[in-house]
Amino acid sequence: MSDPTHNINPHYKKHPAVSYTVDQCKHGIADQNPAILSFLISKAESRIPKDHELLYKVLQDIEDTGHSRVIALSGAPGVGKSTFANSYGQYLISKGLKIAVLPVDPSSNISRGSILGDKTRMEDIVTSAQVYIKPMPSSLSVGGVAPASFLATHICRLAQFDYIFLETVGVGQSEYEARHLADLFLLLLQPGGGDDLQGIKRGIMEMADILLINKADGELESSARNSLDAYKQSLRLMLPNTYGWKPKSGLYSSVSDKYNADLSSYIESYYDYMSSDDRLISLRERQNLHYFDTHYKEILIQQLLQSNNLRAAITDLRNDIQDQKIYPYIALQKLKALALS
Amino acid sequence: MSDPTHNINPHYKKHPAVSYTVDQCKHGIADQNPAILSFLISKAESRIPKDHELLYKVLQDIEDTGHSRVIALSGAPGVGKSTFANSYGQYLISKGLKIAVLPVDPSSNISRGSILGDKTRMEDIVTSAQVYIKPMPSSLSVGGVAPASFLATHICRLAQFDYIFLETVGVGQSEYEARHLADLFLLLLQPGGGDDLQGIKRGIMEMADILLINKADGELESSARNSLDAYKQSLRLMLPNTYGWKPKSGLYSSVSDKYNADLSSYIESYYDYMSSDDRLISLRERQNLHYFDTHYKEILIQQLLQSNNLRAAITDLRNDIQDQKIYPYIALQKLKALALS
C-alpha cells in the first residue's frame, strides 16, 4: 500500500522551455493563439503554486461574455465522435466560425493512443486556423488542483471560440464530467442495436439534449432510419431535462453534408429555448457552483498539508498502525487534535 | 443547489437518555453487554466532539487480541442472508460460540424496513444471550466522522465475539465497504440463473473467498447442484485472491443442518491458510491503513471548517459565483490564500 503522504511532496515537473508573460497570455487568449492556450491549459493541473499565480493573474479580469457554445460530444467508443467533429467542424468553419475541440478522457494518462488517433481522424480540420484541438491532461491525478477540463473549457470560453466541443470517451465518468461543463449534451449512437448493445447506460441516454444516429450512409442508412424511429419512441417516454427541454433526435453522416443543416437547426432551437427565461444563465451558474463545491475541500486539504509537521504526524501514525501500536480510529482522533494545534 | 456549508453546522442530535461512564463502557465491552455495545456504536458517527472523547478514552487501551473472525455476508436481495445468519448462527451457538450480526447498509437511513425485517428473519437467534444484533447507522452522512461500520466492527472485535457477521445489501458500495472490514468474504447465490441474472457484478464474485448456493432444499435442490457445478467451472477461471487463496464453493440450506459442518470446515481451512505466513495479520494491517487513508482528509477538513471565518468566506465566494462576480477557479484560488492565513 502506497504512502499517501508521498503525493504531498510531488516530483515537480520541469517547466517547459517556453514561457509567457501575463500580458502575452492575455493577448494570446484574445487572439486564440494555440501555443499560448496550450501553455495555459498545461498549467491547469500543475501543483506548482507559481503556475496558479500566473493563471490567477491572467484569468481574473478577462470577461467571459458567455458567447461560446460548449457542447459535450458523447457516444460509445467507435461510434465516430472524432470523425463527427471533423465533419461538423468543417461545416462550421465554412460558416466562418471558430471552434475548439477538447478530448476529455480521464484515463488519457494511461493510454494516450486514442488521442493521437483522434487527430488523424480530424485531418480535415486539424490544420485550419479556425480550429484549436487540445487533448486534456489527466484529471485523475490525486494531487491535481482541479480537473484540467473545467479550466481548459473556461480558457476556451474566455478566448471566445464560437463552439467548444468536449469529446468524451463514451463510458462512465467522463460523461458526467462533461455534462457538468457543457451547455448541450450531444449523444451519438450506432445504427442498429439497442442502447444496451452499445454499452450506453440509461443514465447517459437521459442526459442527451440531442441524439444522433451516426453513420446514416451507404448500407447502414436504412438501419439508421429504423434505429431513429426506435429511439424516438423511447425518447417520448423520457422526462424533459431540468429546464423542460425535450431531446431532439436525428440522423447524421460524416461522409456527406446532408445532415449538417438539420443538426445546426437543432442546436439553434436548443439555444433559443435555453436563452429564454435565463435558463442558460441558470445552467451555467449551477455548473460553476458545482465546480466550486466539488473542489474546495481538496484545495483546503492541500493547503493544510503544506505543513511539514502535519505530514510527519501522518507518516508516524501510519507507521504506528502498521506496527499495531495504535488503532486506526484512535490515530484519526490524534490527528484531529494535532490538525489545528 | 444546496449550500454545502450547511452541513458544517449540524443539527446536533439529542443525547440519548441513558449514558455510561468510561469504566462502565470498558466493562460492558468485556462482558459483551448489548446495551453498552449499542450505546458505543451509536456514538460512532456522532459529530459531537464529546462523544469521540468518550470513545477515545474507552477504546484506546483495550487490547484487540485478534480473536474475532469477521465474515462479510453478501448476496443479492432475497438470496436469504438473514435466514442464513439465523441458521448458521444457531449452529455456532450450539457449539458454545458467541456471535455478532451487523447489517451494513449504507442506505439504511432511507429505508429501515429491511432491517426490521432482518430481525424477524433471525427469530431463532435474536433472543439468545450468545448473540448480539445491531443494525448499522447510516454511513452516508457527509459529516460523519467515519463510517460507523468500521468502528462497530472494531468494538465487536474488542468485545471478542467469536464471529462477527457483516451482512451487506448485496449491491454495490456496501460490498466493497464490507470487503475492507472482513477477514473472509462469503457470497450467497440463488440456485439457477447466471450471476448476471442475480444482479451480482463480476467484481463482487471475484471478492468471494467462499461461495454458497443457498436454498439447496426441496424442489430447488437439483437446480442448486447444477448451479454449483457451473460456478465451480467459472471459479476455476478466476485468479486466487491477493494471498493466494482459491475460493471454495458449496451448497447451503437454512432449513436443515446438513451443510453446516461443510461450511464450518471451509471456514476453518480459510483461517488455517490465512494464519500461516502472517497473511491474516497482513490483511488486517492493510485494512487498518485503508481506513486511516480513506478518512484522514475528511477529519482534517472538519477541523479546518470549525473556523467561522473560513465558513463565512466560502458562503461569500459562493454568492459571488452565483452573482457572476467571480469565476469559480478564481474563487478557489482566493479560498486557498485564505485557508491558512
Side-chain angles (χ1 to χ4, degrees), chain B residues 135-149:
Chain B
M136 285 296 89
S138 155
S139 58
L140 275 187
S141 142
V142 177
V145 168
S149 51

Side-chain angles (χ1 to χ4, degrees), chain A residues 40-191:
Chain A
L40 290 169
I41 291 173
S42 74
K43 301 292 180 197
E45 52 152 45
S46 160
R47 304 191 59 233
I48 305 171
K50 247 174 62 183
D51 288 342
H52 288 281
E53 284 161 28
L54 174 73
L55 281 174
Y56 185 94
K57 285 179 198 153
V58 172
L59 302 178
Q60 68 167 331
D61 52 10
I62 302 181
E63 192 196 356
D64 179 5
T65 61
H67 169 78
S68 297
R69 293 176 165 186
V70 183
I71 297 181
L73 185 54
S74 172
V79 73
K81 295 185 290 290
S82 300
T83 321
F84 167 88
N86 187 59
S87 161
Y88 191 61
Q90 276 187 290
Y91 174 79
L92 295 173
I93 290 169
S94 75
K95 306 281 176 197
L97 298 169
K98 292 179 175 169
I99 68 174
V101 182
L102 309 174
V104 176
D105 178 355
S107 64
S108 65
N109 54 335
I110 296 161
S111 138
R112 304 197 66 100
S114 61
I115 277 165
L116 295 173
D118 281 351
K119 282 218 177 184
T120 66
R121 278 190 290 268
M122 290 191 262
E123 57 183 353
D124 295 316
I125 60 170
V126 75
T127 52
S128 164
Q130 290 164 249
V131 174
Y132 172 64
I133 302 177
K134 170 73 175 137
M136 285 295 90
S138 156
S139 58
L140 275 185
S141 144
V142 177
V145 168
S149 51
F150 182 93
L151 209 44
T153 310
H154 181 59
I155 290 167
C156 291
R157 279 184 198 272
L158 297 184
Q160 304 213 46
F161 285 98
D162 298 296
Y163 284 87
I164 302 165
F165 290 98
L166 306 175
E167 187 187 324
T168 71
V169 287
V171 278
Q173 198 48 40
S174 70
E175 314 310 299
Y176 294 94
E177 195 176 307
R179 173 70 282 184
H180 284 297
L181 296 177
D183 301 329
L184 189 166
F185 194 91
L186 197 164
L187 180 62
L188 293 183
L189 292 165
Q190 303 269 9

Side-chain angles (χ1 to χ4, degrees), chain B residues 14-243:
Chain B
K14 282 187 186 149
H15 278 273
V18 184
S19 194
Y20 300 95
T21 65
V22 170
D23 270 353
Q24 283 174 320
C25 289
K26 286 185 178 183
H27 287 118
I29 288 176
D31 300 342
Q32 301 179 335
N33 178 318
I36 288 179
L37 294 175
S38 295
F39 169 78
L40 290 169
I41 291 173
S42 73
K43 301 292 181 200
E45 52 151 45
S46 160
R47 305 191 58 233
I48 305 171
K50 247 174 64 182
D51 288 341
H52 288 280
E53 285 161 27
L54 175 74
L55 281 174
Y56 185 95
K57 284 179 197 153
V58 172
L59 302 178
Q60 68 167 334
D61 52 11
I62 303 181
E63 192 196 356
D64 179 5
T65 62
H67 169 78
S68 297
R69 293 176 164 186
V70 182
I71 297 181
L73 186 54
S74 173
V79 72
K81 294 185 291 290
S82 299
T83 320
F84 167 88
N86 187 59
S87 161
Y88 191 63
Q90 274 187 292
Y91 173 80
L92 295 173
I93 289 169
S94 75
K95 306 279 177 198
L97 299 168
K98 291 180 175 167
I99 67 173
V101 182
L102 309 175
V104 176
D105 178 355
S107 63
S108 64
N109 55 335
I110 295 160
S111 137
R112 303 197 67 98
S114 61
I115 278 165
L116 295 173
D118 282 351
K119 283 218 176 184
T120 66
R121 279 190 288 267
M122 290 191 261
E123 57 184 352
D124 295 316
I125 61 170
V126 74
T127 52
S128 164
Q130 291 165 247
V131 174
Y132 172 64
I133 302 177
K134 170 71 176 140
M136 285 296 89
S138 155
S139 58
L140 275 187
S141 142
V142 177
V145 168
S149 51
F150 182 94
L151 209 43
T153 309
H154 181 60
I155 290 167
C156 290
R157 279 184 198 270
L158 298 182
Q160 303 213 45
F161 284 99
D162 298 297
Y163 284 88
I164 302 166
F165 290 99
L166 306 176
E167 187 188 322
T168 71
V169 286
V171 277
Q173 198 46 42
S174 71
E175 313 310 300
Y176 295 94
E177 194 176 309
R179 172 72 282 185
H180 283 296
L181 297 177
D183 301 330
L184 189 166
F185 195 90
L186 197 163
L187 180 62
L188 293 184
L189 292 165
Q190 302 269 9
D195 39 315
D196 285 353
L197 286 175
Q198 308 207 7
I200 294 292
K201 298 227 170 92
R202 189 153 183 96
I204 292 174
M205 282 282 292
E206 286 172 352
M207 296 194 296
D209 298 307
I210 297 176
L211 189 153
L212 296 179
I213 313 295
N214 196 19
K215 304 184 184 174
D217 43 58
E219 57 186 23
L220 286 176
E221 189 161 354
S222 72
S223 166
R225 285 187 193 286
N226 293 337
S227 297
L228 180 59
D229 289 342
Y231 278 111
K232 274 188 194 294
Q233 290 297 332
S234 64
L235 285 177
R236 209 168 293 164
L237 301 174
M238 282 189 197
L239 294 170
N241 80 1
T242 319
Y243 295 96

